[in-house]
Amino acid sequence: MEKIKFMIENTGDAEEFFVLEQTKMRGETYILVTDSDADDAQCLILKDISSSQSQENLYEIVEDETELLAVAKVFEELLEDIDIEI
């Protein structure tokens, strides 16, 4: 499982997450990440909000419930052995 480092914009702190999967939906890119490789780990769905001119990716946590449910369903289908609870 790939582990990547995210810089927190407001604080400048760094957090590392395991990337479980990536998908595109309606022209947007989403990643499913977790802070642990344990079976019952907490996950976040992040949306790439980078501009096309940006050299670095910029992600935000998906908070809109409709969008979150739709993307979670896609990730559950991609990762058959993972059950995402919202």
Side-chain angles (χ1 to χ4, degrees), residues 31-62:
I31 57 174
L32 178 65
V33 299
T34 184
D35 61 352
S36 168
D37 58 357
D39 289 340
D40 61 347
Q42 299 290 322
C43 295
L44 292 171
I45 295 177
L46 305 176
K47 180 179 182 177
D48 187 346
I49 59 168
S50 310
S51 69
S52 59
Q53 295 86 8
S54 178
Q55 293 183 5
E56 295 184 2
N57 290 34
L58 181 62
Y59 291 93
E60 70 178 9
I61 297 171
V62 176

Side-chain angles (χ1 to χ4, degrees), residues 62-73:
V62 176
E63 294 181 2
D64 177 75
E65 189 173 342
T66 304
E67 181 180 19
L68 185 61
L69 291 171
V71 178
K73 183 174 179 164

